[in-house]
Amino acid sequence: MVGLAQRAGQLVTGTDFVLAAIADHRARLVLLGSDASANLTKKINDKGSYYDVPVASPLSVAELSAAIGHQRSVVAVADAGFAQALSKLLT
């Protein structure tokens, strides 16, 4: 599903871009690698909490990277439909 969102152009990758997407209210769901660094985890969780954007950590960094084809610790889903579908899969 994450790969599908990427092909649709609805995935924001990279820490700085994800933080900007959260602050700009473009991010609907943030996926954070479960083994991401403590500093990154705190930064993303704090920003997500402040802007009321859900942050989930269902995958490791390696699994998340394999799903999108790039080495990334955090990605944001910009489309509400993809975010809702991913949220349902995560629960």
Side-chain angles (χ1 to χ4, degrees), residues 9-71:
Q10 298 299 317
L11 202 65
V12 178
T13 65
T15 303
D16 293 334
F17 294 116
V18 169
L19 289 170
I22 294 170
D24 293 344
H25 302 284
R26 288 181 291 129
R28 303 288 185 235
L29 173 68
V30 176
L31 299 175
L32 176 66
S34 59
D35 54 347
S37 71
N39 184 37
L40 177 62
T41 300
K42 180 179 178 358
K43 190 181 296 186
I44 295 295
N45 282 324
D46 288 351
K47 185 77 82 166
S49 176
Y50 183 81
Y51 287 99
D52 197 29
V53 175
V55 177
S57 298
L59 304 170
S60 69
V61 171
E63 293 168 330
L64 188 59
S65 298
I68 65 169
H70 301 287
Q71 180 64 32

